[in-house]
Amino acid sequence: GDATRVAEHASSGNGTGEVEAVIPRATPRPQPQARPAPAAPLRSSQPSRTATAPPRRPAAPARHSDGGSSRAGRLTLMVIGGIVAAGLVIFGATQLLGGGGNEPAPAPNVTQPPDATPGGGGSDVADQRPDAVVVVLNGTATDGLAGDLANNLIDAGYSSDPGMIRTGNNTDQQRQDSVVLYASGKRRLARDVAQILGINARPEEVDADTLALANNTGDDAAGHETDVVVVAGADLAS
C-alpha cells in the first residue's frame, strides 16, 4: 500500500539521512456503473380490445302540448278519407251500371258572350243604326202599332230615309208576344232594336218565309235587304 511505499522510501534515504516526504497517491474513485435499460414490457398474447361506446337511444318524439289539435287533425283526415272512398264506390257503381261508360258525353251548353251593354247595345251597334234596314210587322188588329214602333226606332238614331225603316202587316194578326228576328250576322243589331222597343224575348234568327215577306214589305223595298224584322204582338199594343 501507500504506507509500505513510504517506509521503503524512508529507509533507502537519499544518502543524506534525510527522509523525503512522500505524497501519497490518491486512490481513484470507482466509476459508477451504467444502469441497465429497463426491459421492454411484455406484449400480451391476447389481442387488444377496443372500447366500444354504447349505442345512444333515439330521442323520444316531442310531445305536442295541444293534444286536442292533434286529435282534431286525425278526425279531419278520417272524414276526408271516408268521403273520397265513398266517391270512388259511387263512381265505380255508375261505371258498371251505366253501360261501361262507352256512350259519348253530352256536349256542354255553349253560352253566348255578353254584349257590351244590357240588351245588346254597344258603341259599335249604335254606329250601325243609320245603315240598318228594319221592317216592323204588325201582328195584331191594333191600327198604327207598327208605325209607332218605327218612329221609336227613328228617334233612337235609325235612319228615316226611304226604304230603311218600313212597316206592314204580319200574316198572323193574333200574335200575343212580340219577337225580334235577325238576318245572318245581325244578332247584336236585333238586341239593340229589342232594347229600344222594350221587347224582353231573346232575338231569334229569321226564317226564310218571314224574311221574304219583310223584303217585299213597304215602299222602296227594292235594293234594301232586311237586317232586322220586328213582329209586334199584343204585349206592345196595350
Side-chain angles (χ1 to χ4, degrees):
D2 292 337
T4 303
R5 291 179 182 176
V6 171
E8 290 177 355
H9 191 71
S11 61
S12 61
N14 53 8
T16 59
E18 298 178 359
V19 180
E20 294 181 358
V22 179
I23 299 173
R25 295 181 181 179
T27 302
R29 295 180 180 179
Q31 296 295 329
Q33 296 181 359
R35 294 181 180 180
L42 298 177
R43 294 184 179 180
S44 176
S45 60
Q46 297 180 355
S48 60
R49 296 181 180 179
T50 303
T52 304
R56 296 183 179 179
R57 295 182 178 179
R63 296 183 179 179
H64 297 285
S65 59
D66 189 1
S69 299
S70 178
R71 287 193 296 271
R74 289 196 295 269
L75 289 176
T76 302
L77 292 176
M78 292 175 62
V79 172
I80 294 175
I83 294 174
V84 172
L88 292 176
V89 171
I90 295 174
F91 177 76
T94 55
Q95 292 297 316
L96 292 175
L97 301 177
N102 295 326
E103 296 181 359
N109 294 330
V110 179
T111 57
Q112 297 294 334
D115 293 317
T117 58
S123 59
D124 57 338
V125 177
D127 294 340
Q128 296 176 17
R129 292 174 183 175
D131 299 325
V133 177
V134 182
V135 176
V136 182
L137 300 177
N138 189 353
T140 69
T142 303
D143 294 335
L145 178 59
D148 294 339
L149 298 178
N151 290 333
N152 292 339
L153 293 175
I154 293 173
D155 293 340
Y158 284 85
S159 177
S160 59
D161 293 342
M164 300 300 291
I165 304 296
R166 306 192 302 270
T167 60
N169 291 324
N170 190 40
T171 53
D172 180 11
Q173 295 287 300
Q174 303 296 322
R175 189 175 182 89
Q176 296 297 319
D177 298 325
S178 301
V179 66
V180 179
L181 309 174
Y182 58 90
S184 178
K186 303 298 180 179
R187 179 176 178 273
R188 297 188 64 189
L189 191 63
R191 291 177 64 89
D192 184 59
V193 170
Q195 179 187 14
I196 294 173
L197 300 180
I199 300 174
N200 297 324
R202 183 186 298 273
E204 301 174 4
E205 189 171 359
V206 65
D207 58 276
D209 293 339
T210 305
L211 183 60
L213 175 62
N215 286 334
N216 291 282
T217 296
D219 298 334
D220 301 315
H224 296 89
E225 296 293 330
T226 306
D227 296 321
V228 178
V229 180
V230 178
V231 180
D235 56 342
L236 294 179
S238 58

